[in-house]
Structure formats: C-alpha cells, structure tokens
Amino acid sequence: MAYLWEYRGQEYLCEAQDSENQKVRNHNRKNRVIENQLILIAGEAGTGKTVYSNTLAEELNQEGGHTIIVLTEKKGTEMDWGYRQFPPTSKEQIEALKEQEEPIATKKELQDNTIIYSPLTLETKGLLIENKNVKTEKIPPIKWYSHPISSLDEESLSCLLRGQIDDETVNTAVRNIKKLKKTDWLHELANNIRESIREKTEYEYDAEKFGIDIGESTDKSTVKKIITGLTALRQNPFYMPEDSEYNIDMTEIINDNKHRHVFTRKFITDKRLRYLSLISDLKAIENALTYGKIKNPICLVIEEVPYWLSRSPDTIYQKELLRLILSFQRIGRSMGLGITMILTTQNIQALNRQLFISCNNKRVFRLNDGDVAYLLKYGYVTTELSKRIKTLRNGQFIYWSEKRQDLEDSIRIKAYVPRYSFHKVGTNYYTEYNKYYPEKLVSYKEHFTKLEEFITVRDNKAKDNIMEKIQIEKSKTQEIQIRKAIKKNKTDETKDNNKELRKQLQIHIIKLSTEKNLSYRKIAEDNTVKALWNLIKGTEKINLMTIKAMLETEKPE
C-alpha cells in the first residue's frame, strides 16, 4: 500500500502493509508496518535511481528496522554503496537537504557504519583498488570471508563445473563432500575422490591438481571434471574447511541492522566464480532465514540485474540465481518477517521478463526511447503514461504498482537525497575513504601471507599423505611379487623332486615287469611302488594306465 505523506511542506512516498480492514490499514500506516516487496527501480544513467535506491534502503532501515545487504554493484563503481560513511560535499546535495529541512550528516555520525565484504581470493590480477595493490598497500577495511566447503550442493557444483551437472559427476562430488571432516579442505575432497579410482604407482605430485592424477583414461573422466573445477577454488578459496575462521555467519549479519553490509566481487576476475560467490551468499541468506534465529527484516539490493540475469537465462547458474531471487518472497511470508528486494536496471528490455513481471511495484525514472517502445509494445504502459515517462526530469519517477488504486499514474514523485554522500562521476571509494579516514586504512600483507601459508601447508600435507599411500601401495605390490616368487620357487623345487621320484618309480616298475614278470595289478600292489607314488601324488593308489605308460616310455638313463 503506497501513499503520500506531507511533512514540513514536503510530500514523501510512503508504504505500509495493506489490509482489507481499514483499522489495520491505519495501524500499518501509523506504525510503518512494511510488507514484502520486490521493487524494480529503472531509469537511464544519471536520472537519479542510484541516489533513490540509497534513500529507499535507508528509509527501510530507519522506519522498518531492515538490515541492508548490498549483493551486487555496477561495474566500475564498485563499493559505491560504502559512500554512506562520507558527509555530503556537493553543492546540489547540500541545497537539496536544506529544501528537505534535513541536517547534513557529520563524519562522527557516519564513521564505521558500513562493512565491506569480499570473498577470499589470491588472484594477483584482480587484487587492485584504484591501481593500489591490495596485497602490499594500505586500503579501506575489508572483511574477507568464505563459506564452509560442506555447503557446496548440486546447484553450486554445477556452476563450479561450468554447467556439467550430469548425475555421475555431481553425485560423485556430493557423495565425497559428505565424507569430509570439519578440518578437511579441497585436498581431502580430491583424495576422497582419488580413493574411488585406480591410480598408477609411478607418481609425480602436482599441487595445482591437489596431487591427483587426472589422465585421459575413460574411468577418470568424471574425476577430471571435478578436479578441474576444484582447481579454480585453490586461488579463490571462498570455500574453506568447516572450522575456518573466515566462514561467514549470515544470521549474525542479518541481525545487525546498525551497519550497512556491502558485498563486493570486485577482486574475483573469473565471471563464473563471481556467479558462484553470489549464489553462495544468497543460499547462505536463504538458510539463515529458514533455520537461523532472525530478529530483523532485511533489504537485499541487486544493482544492474541484467548484468547477472540475461533476458533468457541460458546457463544453469543464471537459472539458479533467478530461482533464488524469486524464492525470497515466499520465504519472507513463511517466516513472518519482511523481505524487500531492490533491483535496479538502466535497460528494461534487457531485463528477464519473468523477473520484471514478478516485481510487485516499480519506480520508473526517465527511460530511453527503446525501453518506452518496448513497454508500449507489450501493453505494460498506456500511451499517456509513456509520454509522462519521457518528460520526467532528473530525480523524478513514477510509482507503478500492481495496486494502481493506491496512487495515480500521473503523479510524478521526487526522489529525495540522503543525508550522506553518494557516488559522483570523477570520485572513487578509495580516494574518499582516504580523505576522511586515513588513519583507518589497513595493510592486508599479513592476511595474504597467512592465506598463502595455509595453502602451502595443505599442499605439503597432501603431498606427504599421498606419497605415503603410494609407498604403501608399492610395498604391498612388492610383497605380493615376493610371495609369488617364493611360491614359484617352491613349485619349481617340487617339480624337480617329482621328476627324480618319477625316474626311480619308472626304473623299479620296469624291473618288476622284466625280471619278475609281474602283471600291472601286482606291480600296483608293490610296497615300493606305493611308497614312491605317495611321495609324488600324496596317495598310494597308482592308476594301472600310468604303469602301462611308464613301461612303454623309453627307459631313463
């Protein structure tokens, strides 16, 4: 339910949870009870949508107690939601605040009100902030974080494996992830997978592949897919052992509405891993809302949605991202706390259509001619409304809701400016932070050294463990070979002994036949014959045909 509220001669756009009961509606207005919303803020660059996004999020925080969590940023202006820490300096904003009769926020009031988060990474190429090397130079504070490796599920793995979500590959990975202990990491996971295949005994350790042989043989094709995916996490370790100090607690973050929580993916260079990181964060929020002890409603901000979601999602990770965004409305209703998502775009045509339709209210700033024509073509706006959209001035927007009875389409609403600074062309987060809080700049040299040492220790441990297993396998193979050799020697000795005994038996049988003229049966009953045959075959009873064969064979020398 939207309505205009007049205060000190100014009209403000306000919202509250709707109800068919007039008393409840009035109560909700008075107490600013806010309903779950999926808000789209659309407009050309420079029309004021970023400023308004900040103002709207701030109102939700101040009036509804929402925790603000910014999940994505515009490329090139990363961390600009961190400008909430800086007092306004532009003449236009200061004049606007005077018109709004609002005091300018002071440095003392604003400091430390925003926390910047970044997934763990060691990628040298991406670790730059305004040409400053994050590894070696002092930068604004960043909270480096990870998720437990045990949280890798089917959808996350499909993103990691470049969409190769065939049952064999994913089931193998998931099955082995479930076997991990709290202290286990990628190497143990790779080793669990290794145990399910037959390895060569000739072995050379490769740290990049966690010591696992991923040759081209057919029985290793599944393992190759998994290990190739895991190698990307070695330099971007935002999945860590379950007991890692870096693992983020989303329940704690959601329950902290005193700070603005800004997640930057600026330092992750691989687009696929940026998706994986975003999906992992959304899943962690989803789990916290479902199973955690949540105290506050939340406001999730996703800037420039088309960058993440194409009009027709064609990858598994884009489809999963869309599912997660749409699922938050359902989760919010079931848990009884408000969830508002603020989505922004410069280009409505590029926006995913299902997401566009799902947004239960839209704030439309001035649009380009192509977007206006698109809205007219599909019947989203009337001709009259399209004309109004084209004539909006910077800072003006039209409130466009499913509930058109709340406000007239013709009302042009002014977006008020926040009491703190916001990103302006020609400024950057690092310079502004350094200007106001130079004493708070931090060196992360020790952090990166510690992270690199962690990986080196894990590499060495994995190498030692695997080499030990290889040695054990070699020892077992050698033991088997020795046993076979001993058995062969015994067999050869037995054959030699039997050959001599057969020779003695044959000579005795010939003697009995020629000298005593005994029959085959009488020869078989001879005690010497029975004794020799028992030594050869383990029985005294000799076959008559054997006696015949020995008599017909050439007499041994």
Side-chain angles (χ1 to χ4, degrees):
M1 171 177 66
Y3 60 95
L4 292 174
W5 173 57
E6 187 171 329
Y7 177 69
R8 293 182 179 178
Q10 302 285 346
E11 283 189 319
Y12 294 84
L13 173 65
C14 300
E15 293 176 82
Q17 187 167 311
D18 203 0
S19 174
E20 295 180 1
N21 187 306
Q22 187 60 43
K23 287 184 178 180
V24 175
R25 283 169 66 93
N26 292 338
H27 173 271
N28 290 345
R29 279 193 179 196
K30 182 179 179 181
N31 294 281
R32 298 301 302 274
V33 179
I34 301 171
E35 61 189 342
N36 296 330
Q37 298 180 90
L38 191 56
I39 300 173
L40 176 66
I41 300 176
E44 289 184 297
T47 54
K49 64 181 184 300
T50 300
V51 176
Y52 177 63
S53 300
N54 270 270
T55 304
L56 178 58
E58 197 68 19
E59 286 179 356
L60 288 167
N61 174 255
Q62 297 298 317
E63 301 292 340
H66 287 61
T67 299
I68 302 171
I69 301 176
V70 183
L71 290 167
T72 68
E73 311 153 303
K74 288 185 288 187
K75 194 172 182 181
T77 60
E78 292 90 353
M79 295 184 277
D80 63 354
W81 279 76
Y83 274 64
R84 188 195 189 206
Q85 301 169 90
F86 314 138
T89 55
S90 74
K91 183 179 177 181
E92 295 83 358
Q93 185 177 0
I94 292 171
E95 287 298 322
L97 286 170
K98 287 180 181 178
E99 287 181 18
Q100 294 169 204
E101 297 186 9
E102 291 189 76
I104 297 170
T106 63
K107 174 183 170 182
K108 184 178 180 180
E109 180 184 352
L110 296 173
Q111 66 179 343
D112 300 327
N113 66 11
T114 299
I115 303 174
I116 307 290
Y117 302 82
S118 175
L120 285 174
T121 182
L122 287 168
E123 292 284 1
T124 305
K125 182 180 176 182
L127 283 168
L128 295 172
I129 178 169
E130 303 305 324
N131 295 319
K132 303 291 182 183
N133 189 319
V134 175
K135 281 188 174 183
T136 58
E137 301 192 44
K138 288 187 174 183
I139 62 167
I142 292 176
K143 187 167 184 177
W144 304 94
Y145 74 95
S146 62
H147 296 283
I149 192 171
S150 57
S151 66
L152 269 171
D153 58 11
E154 289 86 347
E155 294 81 15
S156 302
L157 283 164
S158 73
C159 180
L160 180 63
L161 305 177
R162 300 183 185 275
Q164 299 181 82
I165 194 168
D166 58 277
D167 290 343
E168 183 183 3
T169 302
V170 174
N171 288 342
T172 300
V174 171
R175 187 168 57 250
N176 284 289
I177 286 170
K178 290 179 179 178
K179 295 178 182 177
L180 296 176
K181 299 173 184 176
K182 287 186 176 183
T183 56
D184 289 348
W185 193 43
L186 299 171
H187 301 77
E188 287 77 14
L189 173 58
N191 193 57
N192 286 350
I193 295 166
R194 173 186 178 272
E195 293 297 325
S196 64
I197 64 169
R198 189 169 51 193
E199 284 286 319
K200 298 183 297 183
T201 54
E202 292 300 322
Y203 179 77
E204 183 176 346
Y205 184 82
D206 184 348
E208 290 294 325
K209 298 180 179 65
F210 315 107
I212 306 303
D213 175 23
I214 52 173
E216 296 297 331
S217 60
T218 305
D219 63 334
K220 295 178 182 177
S221 60
T222 295
V223 176
K224 184 177 181 181
K225 291 177 186 177
I226 299 171
I227 300 302
T228 302
L230 291 179
T231 54
L233 294 180
R234 191 172 176 276
Q235 286 297 104
N236 297 278
F238 53 83
Y239 283 101
M240 291 288 274
E242 197 170 335
D243 65 349
S244 172
E245 63 184 283
Y246 294 108
N247 288 340
I248 199 165
D249 185 342
M250 279 297 180
T251 299
E252 183 179 308
I253 288 174
I254 294 171
N255 287 335
D256 173 19
N257 60 8
K258 304 301 180 186
H259 295 90
R260 175 178 288 190
H261 306 275
V262 179
F263 287 75
T264 181
R265 294 165 222 289
K266 173 180 174 62
F267 306 118
I268 305 293
T269 58
D270 188 305
K271 185 176 181 180
R272 171 179 54 104
L273 293 180
R274 286 200 295 271
Y275 269 102
L276 177 59
S277 170
L278 176 57
I279 287 171
S280 301
D281 290 346
L282 283 167
K283 282 180 173 288
I285 293 170
E286 183 181 44
N287 287 335
L289 293 174
T290 306
Y291 305 110
K293 295 180 180 179
I294 302 303
K295 301 174 184 177
N296 303 324
I298 61 172
C299 170
L300 301 178
V301 181
I302 299 182
E303 287 255 64
E304 294 305 328
V305 179
Y307 176 82
W308 298 92
L309 277 176
S310 61
R311 191 171 173 183
S312 301
D314 55 357
T315 61
I316 288 175
Y317 33 90
Q318 284 196 351
K319 292 174 183 176
E320 176 61 12
L321 182 57
L322 178 61
R323 183 197 71 77
L324 283 166
I325 291 173
L326 296 176
S327 73
F328 277 99
Q329 296 301 92
R330 171 185 52 79
I331 295 170
R333 285 192 293 271
S334 65
M335 65 180 285
L337 290 174
I339 296 180
T340 294
M341 295 193 78
I342 298 175
L343 315 177
T344 73
T345 182
Q346 291 184 22
N347 188 347
I348 284 183
Q349 294 179 79
L351 194 64
N352 176 267
R353 197 166 180 180
Q354 184 182 355
L355 188 59
F356 178 77
I357 294 169
S358 298
C359 291
N360 50 15
N361 74 62
K362 305 169 181 70
R363 320 294 167 91
V364 182
F365 288 74
R366 188 177 63 251
L367 299 173
N368 61 53
D369 291 342
D371 276 348
V372 174
Y374 171 81
L375 295 175
L376 271 172
K377 178 181 178 180
Y378 289 99
Y380 291 123
V381 297
T382 62
T383 302
E384 183 63 28
L385 182 56
S386 70
K387 290 178 181 178
R388 293 195 184 102
I389 291 173
K390 287 183 176 182
T391 60
L392 291 170
R393 297 191 300 273
N394 286 352
Q396 285 187 333
F397 66 90
I398 287 176
Y399 179 88
W400 172 19
S401 170
E402 292 175 346
K403 301 173 183 178
R404 296 279 178 97
Q405 72 276 11
D406 290 340
L407 291 173
E408 293 290 336
D409 286 338
S410 60
I411 294 179
R412 294 176 174 84
I413 301 170
K414 184 178 180 181
Y416 289 94
V417 298
R419 295 177 55 236
Y420 49 84
S421 184
F422 52 84
H423 179 266
K424 297 172 289 296
V425 177
T427 67
N428 65 71
Y429 179 73
Y430 172 82
T431 303
E432 293 296 302
Y433 194 93
N434 189 33
K435 179 169 73 176
Y436 288 104
Y437 312 108
E439 74 285 356
K440 291 180 179 289
L441 293 176
V442 181
S443 170
Y444 286 104
K445 188 182 294 186
E446 187 177 332
H447 157 78
F448 286 107
T449 300
K450 181 180 177 182
L451 192 57
E452 288 166 348
E453 286 176 353
F454 167 81
I455 294 174
T456 301
V457 169
R458 290 284 174 151
D459 283 343
N460 292 335
K461 182 181 177 183
K463 180 179 179 180
D464 292 343
N465 287 342
I466 292 174
M467 294 304 293
E468 183 181 349
K469 287 184 178 182
I470 293 295
Q471 193 58 48
I472 291 172
E473 288 174 7
K474 283 184 177 180
S475 298
K476 286 181 178 179
T477 302
Q478 290 173 355
E479 186 178 343
I480 290 170
Q481 289 173 344
I482 291 170
R483 286 178 180 176
K484 285 182 178 179
I486 292 172
K487 185 176 180 180
K488 183 177 182 299
N489 289 337
K490 286 183 177 179
T491 302
D492 290 343
E493 288 176 7
T494 302
K495 284 181 179 179
D496 291 341
N497 291 337
N498 286 348
K499 187 176 180 181
E500 182 61 31
L501 289 171
R502 280 179 173 275
K503 180 180 177 180
Q504 292 179 26
L505 178 61
Q506 186 181 7
I507 292 171
H508 186 67
I509 287 173
I510 292 171
K511 185 177 179 181
L512 291 175
S513 176
T514 56
E515 294 180 5
K516 295 188 178 182
N517 199 23
L518 296 180
S519 66
Y520 294 165
R521 188 174 298 280
K522 290 292 185 180
I523 291 172
E525 292 175 354
D526 181 77
N527 288 332
T528 302
V529 170
K530 288 195 290 185
L532 288 170
W533 190 248
N534 189 36
L535 289 171
I536 296 169
K537 290 292 186 179
T539 177
E540 292 183 351
K541 191 173 182 181
I542 187 171
N543 190 288
L544 299 180
M545 296 303 295
T546 302
I547 294 173
K548 181 182 177 184
M550 285 187 173
L551 289 171
E552 293 174 353
T553 304
E554 185 178 348
K555 183 178 179 182
E557 297 179 0

